Amino acid sequence: MKNRGRGKDLLTTREVADFLGVNEKMVYQLISDKGLPASKVTGKWLFPRYLVEQWVENSTINYPDAAHIHTGGSGPLVVAGSNDLLLDRVLSQYNRSRRGELAVFGNVGSMGGIQALKSGMCHIASSHLVSTDDQDYNFEFAGRELERQPVVINFCHREQGIVYRPGWTDFSGVADLSAPGIRIVNRPLGTGTRLLFDRELKACGIEAVSLDGYGEEVSRHMDVGLAVLSGRADAGPGIRTVAELLGLGFYPLRRERFDLLVLREFYFDRRVQGFLALLRESSLNELKQGLTGYDIEGSGLMRFPDGP
């Protein structure tokens, strides 16, 4: 596959200043004082666009007010956050089994789910954000965004990795994605999958913006698999169950924890409790039939920081 130019993905100091709406001197101050991502090449500062966008998103502290969800037992159950195939089935089961009630899902990524929880736009956030020290999930990010830690309930553990075309028989890991002629597909900023993928690329010494297709983002795990299956991409970050369902190759990176986060004032809401009741092992065992790469042994159990 022909490699495409990526000049627009590296911004100059002036372009960053225009992007942020500040003068160029302020850009230098942001590098030193606020950790604005930058690289110095041949005496000039260059800024990877995706890292600047990520820095802006992670630095946002004041979100606009939104109409709060109903907390008195009326209206739909709102779940927002990370996309997952098993979670889709649980949402569908909720709608089938609770006559006159409705559960809706906002596919906004793990960070988007936590921010929706903060803004009062959802009852439950789904998230799998690994902590900076690589030892835990979700608590670090929830603590950063919310005034107090929410109730955290484990949904499942699942296998996260690289989905790749079946004809790529000698695929041996993330480093192979930088080979000439290889095109990838990606997940959006704010998703746990993108966070893990970027960390793996960095660990391999790969400049993310050098990968053909790095800027092509799709919203669901299944969309990554379909892009690979159709030949639009050779590989992309995703979960094992998608690879198995579509007959694609899969290279595992980690067994990750996927949690549900609930504000304490919502925890005893009958809709939330009705949804959590579906996480009993017997119910989930039936719902996960045909889906591989899931471990539901701890599903429905409350999690605590640095817990087992």
Side-chain angles (χ1 to χ4, degrees), residues 7 127 147 190 232:
S127 179
E147 291 184 5
R232 290 193 294 110

Side-chain angles (χ1 to χ4, degrees), residues 21-302:
V22 300
N23 60 48
E24 289 188 46
K25 289 184 179 180
M26 178 61 72
V27 172
Y28 300 124
Q29 186 173 339
L30 291 174
I31 295 172
S32 61
D33 295 347
K34 300 294 184 180
L36 177 65
S39 299
K40 204 163 194 179
V41 180
T42 62
K44 295 182 178 180
W45 286 106
L46 293 176
F47 306 80
R49 177 186 291 273
Y50 84 99
L51 288 179
V52 173
E53 292 172 344
Q54 192 173 62
W55 177 81
V56 171
E57 179 175 325
N58 291 339
S59 298
T60 301
I61 58 173
N62 293 318
Y63 293 89
D65 291 335
H68 279 44
I69 58 175
H70 293 283
T71 59
S74 62
L77 172 72
V78 182
V79 183
S82 180
N83 161 246
D84 180 75
L85 274 68
L86 181 56
L87 180 60
D88 289 344
R89 292 188 177 186
V90 176
L91 288 162
S92 295
Q93 179 63 20
Y94 181 95
N95 289 330
R96 286 193 300 267
S97 62
R98 297 179 70 86
R99 188 174 181 178
E101 296 190 14
L102 178 68
V104 296
F105 179 69
N107 182 17
V108 293
S110 293
M111 184 58 73
I114 292 175
Q115 292 167 353
L117 203 64
K118 174 182 180 178
S119 299
M121 293 189 292
C122 70
H123 298 93
I124 301 173
S126 55
S127 179
H128 58 111
L129 294 167
V130 64
S131 61
T132 305
D133 63 7
D134 207 35
Q135 299 300 308
D136 207 345
Y137 283 84
N138 301 315
F139 290 104
E140 176 184 332
F141 297 88
R144 188 184 303 162
E145 296 292 328
L146 305 173
E147 291 184 5
R148 61 176 181 170
Q149 284 288 355
V151 179
V152 178
I153 303 102
N154 180 236
F155 179 70
C156 70
H157 286 79
R158 63 183 189 179
E159 288 187 74
Q160 184 84 245
I162 304 296
V163 176
Y164 61 91
R165 54 179 168 79
W168 197 346
T169 56
D170 60 346
F171 184 83
S172 60
V174 173
D176 290 349
L177 300 178
S178 62
I182 297 301
R183 181 170 179 81
I184 69 166
V185 63
N186 208 351
R187 296 295 310 285
L189 286 170
T191 61
T193 300
R194 174 68 169 267
L195 176 65
L196 174 62
F197 186 48
D198 285 346
R199 289 174 63 160
E200 293 292 330
L201 291 174
K202 184 176 181 180
C204 289
I206 297 174
E207 193 70 37
V209 294
S210 70
L211 298 180
D212 190 20
Y214 181 82
E216 181 181 344
E217 300 174 357
V218 294
S219 62
R220 303 179 305 153
H221 283 289
M222 185 58 74
D223 293 332
V224 171
L226 292 174
V228 175
L229 182 66
S230 68
R232 290 193 294 110
D234 296 291
I239 53 178
R240 178 181 289 278
T241 191
V242 166
E244 296 284 348
L245 288 171
L246 299 180
L248 305 173
F250 182 76
Y251 181 86
L253 292 175
R254 68 165 54 216
R255 175 182 178 270
E256 66 173 10
R257 201 180 81 219
F258 190 98
D259 291 333
L260 303 176
L261 285 61
V262 184
L263 292 183
R264 299 181 188 190
E265 53 266 38
F266 295 158
Y267 181 69
F268 292 106
D269 183 287
R270 63 180 181 80
R271 292 159 297 179
V272 172
Q273 287 299 311
F275 184 85
L276 296 179
L278 295 175
L279 305 188
R280 290 192 294 265
E281 189 170 338
S282 57
S283 301
L284 272 191
N285 265 327
E286 183 178 343
L287 291 174
K288 79 178 185 72
Q289 292 299 314
L291 300 180
T292 56
Y294 286 100
D295 178 357
I296 60 170
E297 184 177 350
S299 178
L301 298 180
M302 203 173 292

